[in-house]
Amino acid sequence: MPTPIRILCIAGARPNFMKLAPLFRAFSTCPDFSPALIHTGQHYDDKMSGQFFRDLGLPVPLHNLEVGSGSHAQQTAEIMKRFEPIMLEEKPHAVLVVGDVNSTVACALVAKKLGVFLIHVEAGLRSFDRAMPEEINRLVTDSISDLLLVTEKSGLQNLEKEGARPAAVRFAGNLMIDSLLFHLPRAGDSPSVDNLGLKGRRFGLVTLHRPSNVDDPAQLGEILRALRVIAVDLPLYFPIHPRTRARLGADEPGGDIHLLDPLGYLDFIRMMSLSAAVFTDSGGIQEETTALRIPCLTLRNNTERPITVEEGTNRLAGTAYDGILKAWEDVKASPGRGRVPELWDGKAAERCVQAIREALT
Ligand code: UD1
C-alpha cells in the first residue's frame, strides 16, 4: 500500500460526528494517512449538523452530498448515486463508515462494489430486532466490511457467530467516549444549563426520536403520560429532535416537561453530566450515561449495546406506561453507579488508527 493512505471518512447524521472527531485528531499526528471527510447531508439543519462541526472541531468536508431527507430507499439510493462519482474522482485506498445510519450502509455498498477496502467503526452491535432500520444497516455493513472495529465485547461474540473472519475483527473501544472525555472539561463553559437556571437543581433529561416511539401518536402519548408522572418527582428537560417536533406539532407535552431546541454537543454533554437521570431511545446516550455513571432509562424493549445494562447504569424501561414507571421506581430505590466498560478510556481513536494501519500495510 503506497503512503500516505488516502481514506474517505463518512459522516451523515448527528451521532456520526462525535465518532469521527477523535479519529481526525488521531490521523492528524500520522503522516502516513491522508484522511478526508465526506458529509452526505443526511442531517442538514445547523442544530443537527453545523453546530456539531464547530463544537467538535471537525474539518470542513471535502464534499457535501446534500442529500437531505427522504424515505429510506430514496435517501439510501440518493447517497449512493452521489457518492459513487466522488469515489471515482478521489480514488481512495479505503473508506471508513461509522455507526448504523442510512449514510453508513449507502457508502459501504458503494465502496465495496468498487472493490475499495471498507472499515466499519462500531461493528458487531445487534439489537436482534429486524424491524429497526438501524439493525438492517448494521447487518449489511458488517457483512461486507474488511475491517470491523468493535466497541464492546458483545460485538465480538456477534461477529464470531455470524462467521466474520477473526483477522478482520478488532476490539478497539468506543470513539464516542473518546469525544465525551475530551470535550467534557471544555463543556463547563457552555451556558446552556446556567441559562435555564438549572445550576444546583435536580433535573432529568429526555431525548426521543425513534420512529417506533414517535411516529405513532398513541405510542408517543403513552411515553409522555409516563414522563409527566416522573416529572412530578424530577422536572424534565427535553431537547427535541425535528422528527419528534413534527409529530407533536403545536402540542406541548404538559406537566413539568420543558421542550428545548436541539442542543449542540457541548451544551448537551454538560446538561447530561449534571442531570439526575436520563430518559432516551438513543443508542449513543446509553453509552455516554454509562461512562458518566448517570442512571439511564432506555425507552425501548431491546438494546444493541448490552454492556450498558450488564455493567453500566442503563435499564431497559420499555415503551409502556407501567413499565416506564416501574423502572423509575427501581432507579429511585437503587440508582447504581455501574462501572465503565473495558476500553472506554478515551484512547479508542489511537487503537482504531493502529488497527487500520496494520490491516492496510
Ligand atoms: C437518523 C438515523 C438514526 C439516528 C438519528 C439521530 C437512520 C435510518 N436513522 O434518524 O439511527 O439515531 O438519525 O438523529 O439513518 N430532519 C430535519 N433536519 C435535519 C435532519 C432531519 O428537520 O437536519 C427531519 C426531517 O424531517 C427528516 C426527519 O427529521 O425526515 C428524520 O431524519 P432522518 O435522517 O430520516 O432520520 P432520523 O430520524 O434523524
Side-chain angles (χ1 to χ4, degrees):
M1 173 75 57
T3 57
I5 297 165
R6 183 72 170 154
I7 177 164
L8 298 187
C9 302
I10 310 301
R14 187 169 60 175
N16 299 157
F17 306 138
M18 48 294 244
K19 294 167 196 163
L20 287 178
L23 266 185
F24 273 89
R25 259 197 320 279
F27 280 138
S28 72
T29 63
C30 302
D32 52 336
F33 281 97
S34 161
L37 183 59
I38 307 293
H39 192 337
T40 66
Q42 177 174 344
H43 282 176
Y44 44 88
D45 285 355
D46 188 64
K47 289 195 167 102
M48 299 293 285
S49 174
Q51 181 68 47
F52 283 77
F53 274 70
R54 294 191 291 278
D55 283 355
L56 291 159
L58 274 165
V60 176
L62 184 64
H63 296 272
N64 188 327
L65 310 184
E66 295 182 345
V67 68
S69 302
S71 71
H72 282 270
Q74 280 167 354
Q75 193 176 54
T76 308
E78 204 52 54
I79 295 168
M80 291 180 71
K81 275 163 65 181
R82 296 183 192 196
F83 184 49
E84 187 178 53
I86 287 168
M87 285 290 290
L88 297 174
E89 181 189 328
E90 299 289 339
K91 300 188 181 51
H93 301 113
V95 168
L96 180 146
V97 295
V98 298
D100 55 17
V101 302
N102 286 342
S103 302
T104 309
V105 71
C107 294
L109 282 166
V110 171
K112 215 46 238 168
K113 291 209 168 187
L114 290 171
V116 173
F117 192 89
L118 177 64
I119 302 155
H120 185 204
V121 168
E122 203 182 271
L125 297 182
R126 297 290 180 268
S127 66
F128 303 102
D129 173 5
R130 292 199 180 192
M132 198 179 171
E134 293 83 357
E135 183 77 351
I136 307 304
N137 295 343
R138 289 189 278 262
L139 284 161
V140 172
T141 305
D142 282 345
S143 71
I144 58 174
S145 291
D146 300 295
L147 177 61
L148 297 145
L149 297 172
V150 175
T151 53
E152 65 163 81
K153 287 209 166 141
S154 71
L156 299 175
Q157 291 150 11
N158 295 331
L159 291 169
E160 188 187 346
K161 278 191 211 131
E162 289 169 16
R165 254 182 341 108
V169 180
R170 293 289 288 270
F171 183 28
N174 195 324
L175 288 172
M176 187 165 244
I177 304 305
D178 280 18
S179 265
L180 180 68
L181 299 180
F182 183 81
H183 287 284
L184 199 54
R186 278 181 57 211
D189 304 333
S190 139
S192 60
V193 181
D194 311 0
N195 289 350
L196 291 166
L198 291 176
K199 229 176 175 172
R201 283 178 51 206
R202 280 183 82 249
F203 67 93
L205 188 59
V206 177
T207 82
L208 278 176
H209 74 281
R210 298 238 161 257
S212 57
N213 276 341
V214 306
D215 284 0
D216 171 16
Q219 179 57 70
L220 181 57
E222 175 141 355
I223 292 175
L224 291 177
R225 197 155 62 88
L227 292 179
R228 277 195 293 274
V229 175
I230 294 168
V232 173
D233 289 337
L234 186 69
L236 296 177
Y237 288 80
F238 184 178
I240 192 162
H241 185 283
R243 171 191 285 280
T244 315
R245 172 82 274 176
R247 299 300 180 267
L248 271 181
D251 295 347
E252 285 293 320
D256 210 348
I257 305 179
H258 307 271
L259 292 187
L260 308 173
D261 282 339
L263 294 173
Y265 182 67
L266 298 177
D267 286 345
F268 187 81
I269 61 174
R270 171 143 165 92
M271 218 166 150
M272 182 166 54
S273 70
L274 295 176
S275 66
V278 178
F279 305 80
T280 189
D281 59 8
S282 151
I285 293 170
Q286 298 172 47
E287 297 181 339
E288 290 167 334
T289 46
T290 275
L292 293 170
R293 311 182 95 171
I294 291 170
C296 178
L297 280 82
T298 292
L299 305 172
R300 291 173 46 190
N301 295 312
N302 54 49
T303 178
E304 60 288 335
R305 294 160 158 93
I307 203 155
T308 60
V309 176
E310 290 155 13
E311 294 187 12
T313 48
N314 189 19
R315 284 165 215 244
L316 288 180
T319 58
Y321 176 82
D322 290 341
I324 297 170
L325 293 184
K326 164 83 175 55
W328 175 235
E329 291 305 319
D330 292 348
V331 167
K332 281 196 295 182
S334 100
R337 292 195 18 90
R339 63 168 188 261
V340 178
E342 192 181 346
L343 300 192
W344 291 20
D345 57 359
K347 299 186 180 117
E350 284 78 7
R351 286 188 290 268
C352 288
V353 168
Q354 184 54 22
I356 295 167
R357 181 183 285 122
E358 285 169 18
L360 281 169
T361 52

